[in-house]
Coordinates of all heavy atoms in Angstrom, one line a residue:
A552 N -117.6 40.9 -24.5 CA -118.2 41.5 -23.3 C -118.0 43.1 -23.3 O -119.0 43.8 -22.9 CB -117.6 40.9 -22.0
E553 N -116.8 43.5 -23.7 CA -116.6 45.0 -23.8 C -117.6 45.6 -24.8 O -118.1 46.7 -24.5 CB -115.2 45.3 -24.1 CG -114.2 45.0 -23.0 CD -112.8 45.2 -23.4 OE1 -112.5 45.5 -24.5 OE2 -111.9 45.0 -22.5
E554 N -117.7 44.9 -25.9 CA -118.6 45.5 -26.9 C -120.0 45.5 -26.4 O -120.8 46.5 -26.6 CB -118.6 44.6 -28.2 CG -117.3 44.7 -29.0 CD -117.2 43.8 -30.2 OE1 -118.2 43.0 -30.3 OE2 -116.2 43.9 -30.9
R555 N -120.5 44.5 -25.7 CA -121.8 44.5 -25.1 C -121.9 45.6 -24.1 O -123.0 46.3 -24.0 CB -122.1 43.1 -24.4 CG -122.3 42.0 -25.5 CD -122.5 40.7 -24.8 NE -122.6 39.6 -25.7 CZ -122.7 38.3 -25.4 NH1 -122.6 38.0 -24.2 NH2 -122.9 37.4 -26.4
L556 N -120.9 45.8 -23.3 CA -120.9 46.9 -22.3 C -121.1 48.3 -23.0 O -121.8 49.2 -22.5 CB -119.7 46.9 -21.4 CG -119.6 45.8 -20.4 CD1 -118.3 45.7 -19.7 CD2 -120.7 46.0 -19.3
E557 N -120.3 48.4 -24.1 CA -120.5 49.7 -24.9 C -121.9 49.8 -25.4 O -122.5 51.0 -25.4 CB -119.5 49.7 -26.0 CG -118.0 49.8 -25.6 CD -117.7 51.1 -25.0 OE1 -118.4 52.1 -25.3 OE2 -116.8 51.2 -24.1
A558 N -122.4 48.7 -25.9 CA -123.8 48.8 -26.4 C -124.8 49.1 -25.3 O -125.7 49.9 -25.5 CB -124.2 47.5 -27.1
E559 N -124.5 48.5 -24.1 CA -125.4 48.8 -23.0 C -125.2 50.3 -22.5 O -126.2 50.9 -22.2 CB -125.0 47.9 -21.8 CG -125.5 46.4 -22.0 CD -125.0 45.5 -20.9 OE1 -124.3 46.1 -20.0 OE2 -125.3 44.3 -21.0
K560 N -124.0 50.7 -22.6 CA -123.8 52.2 -22.3 C -124.6 53.1 -23.3 O -125.2 54.1 -22.8 CB -122.3 52.5 -22.3 CG -121.5 52.0 -21.2 CD -120.1 52.4 -21.3 CE -119.2 51.8 -20.2 NZ -117.8 52.1 -20.3
R561 N -124.5 52.7 -24.6 CA -125.3 53.5 -25.5 C -126.8 53.4 -25.3 O -127.5 54.5 -25.3 CB -124.9 53.1 -27.0 CG -123.5 53.5 -27.4 CD -123.4 53.3 -28.9 NE -123.6 51.9 -29.3 CZ -122.6 51.0 -29.4 NH1 -121.4 51.4 -29.0 NH2 -122.8 49.8 -29.7
R562 N -127.2 52.2 -25.0 CA -128.6 52.1 -24.7 C -129.0 52.9 -23.4 O -130.1 53.4 -23.3 CB -129.0 50.6 -24.5 CG -128.9 49.8 -25.8 CD -129.4 48.4 -25.6 NE -129.3 47.6 -26.7 CZ -128.5 46.5 -26.8 NH1 -127.9 46.1 -25.7 NH2 -128.4 45.8 -27.9
F563 N -128.1 52.8 -22.4 CA -128.4 53.5 -21.2 C -128.5 55.0 -21.4 O -129.3 55.7 -20.9 CB -127.3 53.2 -20.2 CG -127.5 53.9 -18.8 CD1 -128.6 53.4 -18.0 CD2 -126.8 54.9 -18.4 CE1 -128.8 54.0 -16.8 CE2 -127.0 55.5 -17.2 CZ -128.0 55.0 -16.4
R564 N -127.6 55.5 -22.3 CA -127.7 57.0 -22.7 C -129.0 57.3 -23.4 O -129.7 58.3 -23.1 CB -126.5 57.4 -23.6 CG -125.2 57.4 -22.9 CD -124.1 58.0 -23.8 NE -122.8 57.8 -23.2 CZ -122.0 56.9 -23.6 NH1 -122.3 56.0 -24.5 NH2 -120.8 56.8 -23.0
Q565 N -129.4 56.4 -24.3 CA -130.6 56.6 -25.0 C -131.8 56.5 -24.0 O -132.8 57.3 -24.1 CB -130.8 55.5 -26.1 CG -129.9 55.7 -27.3 CD -130.1 54.6 -28.3 OE1 -131.0 53.7 -28.1 NE2 -129.3 54.6 -29.3
S566 N -131.7 55.6 -23.0 CA -132.7 55.5 -22.0 C -132.8 56.7 -21.1 O -133.9 57.1 -20.7 CB -132.5 54.2 -21.2 OG -131.3 54.3 -20.4
Q567 N -131.6 57.3 -20.8 CA -131.6 58.5 -20.1 C -132.2 59.7 -20.8 O -132.9 60.5 -20.3 CB -130.2 58.9 -19.6 CG -129.7 58.0 -18.5 CD -128.3 58.4 -18.1 OE1 -127.6 59.3 -18.8 NE2 -127.8 57.9 -17.0
D568 N -132.0 59.7 -22.2 CA -132.6 60.7 -23.0 C -134.1 60.6 -23.1 O -134.8 61.6 -23.1 CB -132.0 60.7 -24.4 CG -130.5 61.1 -24.4 OD1 -130.1 61.8 -23.5 OD2 -129.7 60.6 -25.3
D569 N -134.5 59.3 -23.2 CA -136.0 59.1 -23.3 C -136.6 58.7 -21.9 O -137.6 58.0 -21.9 CB -136.3 58.0 -24.3 CG -135.8 58.3 -25.6 OD1 -135.7 59.5 -25.9 OD2 -135.4 57.4 -26.4
A570 N -135.9 59.1 -20.8 CA -136.3 58.7 -19.5 C -137.7 59.3 -19.1 O -138.5 58.6 -18.4 CB -135.3 59.0 -18.4
S571 N -137.8 60.5 -19.6 CA -139.1 61.2 -19.2 C -140.3 60.6 -19.9 O -141.4 60.6 -19.4 CB -139.0 62.7 -19.5 OG -138.8 62.8 -20.9
V572 N -140.0 60.0 -21.1 CA -141.1 59.5 -21.9 C -141.3 58.0 -21.7 O -142.4 57.5 -21.5 CB -140.9 59.9 -23.4 CG1 -142.1 59.4 -24.2 CG2 -140.8 61.4 -23.6
L573 N -140.2 57.3 -21.9 CA -140.4 55.8 -22.0 C -139.6 55.2 -20.8 O -138.9 54.2 -20.9 CB -139.8 55.3 -23.3 CG -140.4 55.8 -24.5 CD1 -139.6 55.3 -25.7 CD2 -141.8 55.2 -24.7
R574 N -139.8 55.7 -19.6 CA -139.1 55.1 -18.4 C -139.6 53.7 -18.1 O -138.8 52.8 -17.8 CB -139.4 56.0 -17.2 CG -138.5 55.6 -16.0 CD -138.7 56.6 -14.9 NE -137.8 56.3 -13.8 CZ -136.6 56.6 -13.6 NH1 -136.0 57.2 -14.6 NH2 -135.9 56.3 -12.6
Q575 N -140.9 53.5 -18.2 CA -141.4 52.2 -17.9 C -140.9 51.1 -18.9 O -140.5 50.0 -18.6 CB -142.9 52.2 -17.9 CG -143.5 50.8 -17.5 CD -143.2 50.6 -16.0 OE1 -143.1 51.5 -15.2 NE2 -143.1 49.3 -15.7
K576 N -140.9 51.6 -20.3 CA -140.3 50.7 -21.3 C -138.8 50.4 -21.0 O -138.4 49.2 -21.2 CB -140.5 51.3 -22.7 CG -141.9 51.3 -23.2 CD -142.0 51.9 -24.6 CE -143.5 51.9 -25.1 NZ -143.6 52.5 -26.4
E577 N -138.2 51.4 -20.6 CA -136.7 51.3 -20.4 C -136.5 50.3 -19.2 O -135.6 49.5 -19.3 CB -136.1 52.6 -20.1 CG -134.6 52.5 -20.0 CD -134.0 53.9 -19.8 OE1 -134.7 54.9 -19.8 OE2 -132.7 54.0 -19.7
V578 N -137.4 50.5 -18.2 CA -137.2 49.6 -17.0 C -137.5 48.2 -17.5 O -136.7 47.3 -17.1 CB -138.2 50.0 -15.9 CG1 -138.2 49.0 -14.8 CG2 -137.8 51.4 -15.3
E579 N -138.5 47.9 -18.3 CA -138.8 46.6 -18.7 C -137.6 46.1 -19.6 O -137.2 44.9 -19.5 CB -140.1 46.6 -19.5 CG -141.3 46.8 -18.6 CD -142.6 46.9 -19.4 OE1 -142.5 46.8 -20.7 OE2 -143.7 47.0 -18.8
H580 N -137.2 47.0 -20.5 CA -136.1 46.7 -21.4 C -134.8 46.3 -20.6 O -134.1 45.4 -20.9 CB -135.8 47.8 -22.4 CG -134.7 47.5 -23.3 ND1 -134.7 46.5 -24.3 CD2 -133.4 48.0 -23.4 CE1 -133.6 46.5 -25.0 NE2 -132.8 47.4 -24.4
M581 N -134.6 47.1 -19.6 CA -133.4 46.9 -18.7 C -133.5 45.6 -18.0 O -132.6 44.8 -17.8 CB -133.2 48.1 -17.8 CG -132.7 49.3 -18.4 SD -131.1 49.1 -19.2 CE -130.1 48.8 -17.8
T582 N -134.8 45.3 -17.5 CA -135.0 44.0 -16.8 C -134.7 42.9 -17.7 O -134.0 41.9 -17.4 CB -136.4 44.0 -16.2 OG1 -137.3 44.2 -17.2 CG2 -136.5 45.0 -15.1
R583 N -135.3 43.0 -19.0 CA -135.0 41.9 -19.9 C -133.5 41.8 -20.3 O -133.0 40.7 -20.4 CB -135.8 42.1 -21.2 CG -137.3 41.9 -21.1 CD -138.0 41.8 -22.4 NE -137.8 43.0 -23.2 CZ -138.7 44.0 -23.1 NH1 -139.7 44.0 -22.3 NH2 -138.5 45.1 -23.9
H584 N -132.9 43.0 -20.4 CA -131.5 43.0 -20.8 C -130.7 42.4 -19.6 O -129.7 41.7 -19.8 CB -131.0 44.5 -21.0 CG -129.6 44.6 -21.4 ND1 -129.1 44.1 -22.6 CD2 -128.5 45.1 -20.7 CE1 -127.8 44.2 -22.6 NE2 -127.4 44.9 -21.5

Side-chain angles (χ1 to χ4, degrees):
E553 288 177 355
E554 290 178 354
R555 287 175 183 174
L556 286 172
E557 290 294 332
E559 288 176 358
K560 287 179 181 179
R561 288 194 296 273
R562 289 188 188 116
F563 183 70
R564 291 190 190 97
Q565 289 177 4
S566 64
Q567 283 181 352
D568 292 334
D569 298 332
S571 60
V572 181
L573 298 171
R574 190 173 181 83
Q575 186 66 33
K576 289 181 180 180
E577 188 177 359
V578 170
E579 292 176 356
H580 180 70
M581 286 299 293
T582 54
R583 286 195 302 271
H584 182 68

